[in-house]
Amino acid sequence: MSERIPLDLLDPKAVRKRARTVAIGALIVAAAFGGLLGLLAGRTAGLVTAAVFAVPLLLLGWSEARRRVWLEGHVLSVRAFGTRSVDLHTADQLDLLVTDMRGTRTVGLFVRGGGKAINLALAIYAGTGGREQGVLPLRKLADVLAGRGDAPGLVFSELMVAQLRAEARGLAAADRPLYQLGSMAPTGRLAQKLNPDAISRFVSTLD
């Protein structure tokens, strides 16, 4: 049986704290809108409105608390309410997805295959610092992606290896490939995929 490699970028304690924040925010928003509509249209309308706002946000918080990501062999899996898995060797799509929320950028490997999609966070940066996947996860990802034997797989494999080299040299976050790629994405957009040709050109310049 293949070894299961955890790929959770944030530790469980931080994830639970973020989930609690989402849940508290959900209750505050729901109470505000429900209370306002309750004053205007009656108690029942207020309660219904509060539920409409609260339930999806509470489910989001619960999903965040349960979320776990791992690599087993060449299969990437994520668990929240259920489990989704994508075989990285046969995935139809590989992209680098950059999300930007309140000055915090997340650089992720977006994969799609078998009708399922997973966004694997590779690094989170805020200012000149952040949090990145560890040496073992990046090494395993590099090996699996290289095993695809196609151009996209090799490009992303070389990117992981370059990130490992930068970490081994003790380079600051701003001098590491994932940070530099994340900085290439224009500001003001919540999520965007980087152009594959731009990624290939960037990777070709790395040592």
Side-chain angles (χ1 to χ4, degrees):
M1 180 179 289
S2 300
E3 180 184 6
R4 177 179 286 196
I5 308 297
L7 296 174
D8 300 300
L9 195 55
L10 299 177
D11 62 77
K13 184 177 179 180
V15 171
R16 288 193 295 269
K17 182 178 179 181
R18 188 166 65 177
R20 285 196 297 270
T21 300
V22 170
I24 293 170
L27 294 175
I28 292 173
V29 170
F33 279 94
L36 179 61
L37 198 62
L39 290 174
L40 297 174
R43 181 180 178 184
T44 300
L47 291 174
V48 170
T49 300
V52 167
F53 278 94
V55 171
L57 292 173
L58 288 172
L59 287 175
L60 176 62
W62 187 28
S63 173
E64 280 289 312
R66 287 175 50 84
R67 194 175 194 271
R68 297 292 182 273
V69 190
W70 67 89
L71 180 69
E72 193 165 359
H74 44 82
V75 177
L76 178 66
S77 300
V78 58
R79 187 203 75 193
F81 295 123
T83 300
R84 283 173 288 134
S85 298
V86 177
D87 189 329
L88 294 181
H89 277 182
T90 59
D92 305 317
Q93 182 179 353
L94 294 176
D95 284 297
L96 204 67
L97 183 69
V98 179
T99 60
D100 190 347
M101 295 185 64
R102 298 190 296 273
T104 298
R105 290 201 166 194
T106 302
V107 182
L109 177 65
F110 181 85
V111 300
R112 186 186 300 276
K116 299 175 182 178
I118 296 175
N119 182 32
L120 168 64
L122 298 174
I124 298 176
Y125 297 111
T128 57
R131 190 178 183 91
E132 303 165 332
Q133 288 284 355
V135 172
L136 178 59
L138 286 179
R139 182 71 262 178
K140 292 290 186 179
L141 283 169
D143 291 343
V144 170
L145 292 169
R148 286 172 57 93
D150 61 357
L154 291 174
V155 166
F156 280 105
S157 177
E158 290 174 12
L159 174 60
M160 305 298 170
V161 171
Q163 180 74 12
L164 286 169
R165 289 196 188 112
E167 183 173 349
R169 293 172 183 166
L171 298 181
D175 297 320
R176 300 186 184 189
L178 290 177
Y179 184 100
Q180 293 169 343
L181 278 172
S183 299
M184 289 170 56
T187 59
R189 297 172 63 180
L190 179 60
Q192 53 196 302
K193 295 175 183 176
L194 296 187
N195 183 286
D197 292 335
I199 297 172
S200 296
R201 288 193 298 270
F202 173 82
V203 171
S204 69
T205 66
L206 299 174
D207 295 332

